[in-house]
Amino acid sequence: QVRLVESGGGLVQAGGSLRLSCAASSGRGGSSYAMGWFRQAPGKEREFVAAIRSSGGMTSYADFVKGRFTVSRDNAKSTVYLQMNSLKPEDTAVYYCAAGSDTTSRSASVYPYWGQGTQVTVSS
């Protein structure tokens, strides 16, 4: 069992930045899981944003965030980060982190553990 807690969301103007954090707690050690970030906007389906493998050596990004968002992790702190720069109003959504087997899959179904989400709102 893995417990995930996101933080760092908020209201920001277009062009601004936010850094989301996801703290993992697990009897097995959160650092052994791959971590993914997903988001869900009102009236839309949940979509993949980024993922990072347990070692941090491999990452994957959705096309719409490439060059703007960076995923990283600090395994000593069992924490994963999503640095979001050049934010746009269309980035407004609830952002979720998820943990799963060691993969950078873009499919939500391969991540069995999810946080409660953190709201990101980008004003124009």
Side-chain angles (χ1 to χ4, degrees):
Q1 189 73 16
V2 180
R3 181 170 179 260
L4 304 173
V5 179
E6 301 100 332
S7 60
L11 173 64
V12 64
Q13 289 188 332
S17 298
L18 282 174
R19 188 177 80 156
L20 306 183
S21 300
C22 175
S25 60
S26 166
R28 176 177 142 184
S31 60
S32 63
Y33 292 92
M35 301 295 291
W37 286 98
F38 292 77
R39 70 185 187 185
Q40 187 166 19
K44 295 188 177 181
E45 293 186 353
R46 189 169 299 188
E47 61 182 354
F48 171 80
V49 176
I52 186 168
R53 291 194 67 168
S54 60
S55 66
M58 184 177 293
T59 58
S60 178
Y61 295 93
D63 287 344
F64 55 79
V65 302
K66 282 183 179 177
R68 300 190 299 126
F69 292 9
T70 303
V71 61
S72 62
R73 66 191 298 159
D74 184 341
N75 284 340
K77 297 181 179 179
S78 295
T79 301
V80 176
Y81 305 98
L82 185 68
Q83 177 67 44
M84 305 186 295
N85 299 327
S86 302
L87 283 162
K88 306 175 182 180
E90 52 264 43
D91 293 319
T92 295
V94 177
Y95 283 71
Y96 299 88
C97 69
S101 58
D102 206 11
T103 175
T104 53
S105 174
R106 300 177 177 220
S107 173
S109 63
V110 305
Y111 297 90
Y113 306 109
W114 291 80
Q116 81 289 351
T118 185
Q119 177 69 48
V120 171
T121 302
V122 185
S123 63
S124 57

